[in-house]
């Protein structure tokens, strides 16, 4: 089961995301939800998380700040944006940090499912590669 945290300063968006999907069906556990991006950043510094779904524009620590932190410090953690802002500049900045996806609010159920499917495949591949590498080292 992969751990996911969801970060959004809009509590309605958080509720919709958490209740919209049977997370376990897609092999994800909603480890934590945050309406405060500073707390989310602390969680990332102290806990292993596989997927972060975050709003891009929040006070103090932005989704881009979270993506940059993960890119620089947690290369195995995937980050996806769900945002109300259809801005090319945000998308351009997000590309720098290898963002998994950028979904506009209001999102649909199928968009969220597609995001989880894609994240699951990416995480499975990372774990397979890691396992193969460990097995190779043991054989040597």
């Amino acid at each position: 089961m992969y751990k996911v945290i969801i970060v959004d300063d809009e509590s309605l968006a958080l509720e919709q995301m958490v209740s919209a999907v049977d997370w376990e069906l897609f092999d994800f556990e909603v480890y934590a939800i945050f309406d405060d991006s500073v707390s989310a950043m602390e969680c990332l510094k102290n806990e292993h998380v596989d997927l972060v779904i975050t709003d891009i524009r929040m006070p103090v620590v932005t989704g881009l700040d979270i993506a940059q932190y993960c890119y620089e410090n947690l290369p195995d953690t995937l980050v996806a944006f769900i945002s109300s802002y259809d801005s090319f500049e945000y998308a351009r900045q997000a590309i720098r940090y290898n963002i998994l996806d950028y979904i506009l609010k209001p999102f649909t159920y199928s968009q969220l499912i597609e995001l989880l499917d894609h994240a699951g495949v990416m995480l499975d591949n990372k774990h397979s590669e890691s396992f193969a590498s460990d097995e190779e080292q043991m054989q040597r």
Side-chain angles (χ1 to χ4, degrees):
M1 184 105 19
Y2 295 117
K3 283 171 134 176
V4 61
I5 64 169
I6 304 170
V7 188
D8 199 318
D9 58 339
E10 296 175 32
S11 42
L12 181 61
L14 280 173
E15 289 174 28
Q16 286 178 327
M17 232 176 302
V18 171
S19 65
V21 174
D22 180 355
W23 293 85
E24 290 182 13
L25 184 65
F26 295 93
D27 207 22
F28 285 94
E29 166 198 1
V30 177
Y31 178 73
I33 58 172
F34 297 97
D35 61 2
D36 165 22
S37 54
V38 174
S39 297
M41 199 66 130
E42 286 303 311
C43 175
L44 288 169
K45 291 176 182 177
N46 297 309
E47 296 292 329
H48 169 75
V49 174
D50 299 294
L51 174 63
V52 178
I53 301 174
T54 182
D55 190 4
I56 199 165
R57 191 167 171 192
M58 296 177 287
V60 187
V61 175
T62 68
L64 286 168
D65 295 330
I66 291 172
Q68 181 179 8
Y69 177 80
C70 290
Y71 179 78
E72 293 173 352
N73 301 286
L74 306 169
D76 291 334
T77 300
L78 301 176
V79 178
F81 288 136
I82 294 185
S83 179
S84 300
Y85 297 94
D86 183 11
S87 164
F88 175 74
E89 184 56 30
Y90 282 138
R92 189 176 72 74
Q93 290 178 17
I95 289 169
R96 290 184 194 156
Y97 305 123
N98 294 333
I99 297 304
L100 178 68
D101 209 339
Y102 190 117
I103 298 173
L104 290 175
K105 293 178 190 174
F107 58 88
T108 64
Y109 175 77
S110 61
Q111 287 174 308
L112 195 52
I113 296 308
E114 189 176 311
L115 166 67
L116 294 178
D117 280 340
H118 187 201
V121 167
M122 298 284 291
L123 290 165
D124 288 347
N125 287 342
K126 284 183 180 199
H127 286 259
S128 296
E129 290 169 9
S130 175
F131 178 75
S133 176
D134 290 347
E135 192 173 282
E136 212 174 87
Q137 287 179 1
M138 287 176 66
Q139 287 177 354
R140 286 186 198 149

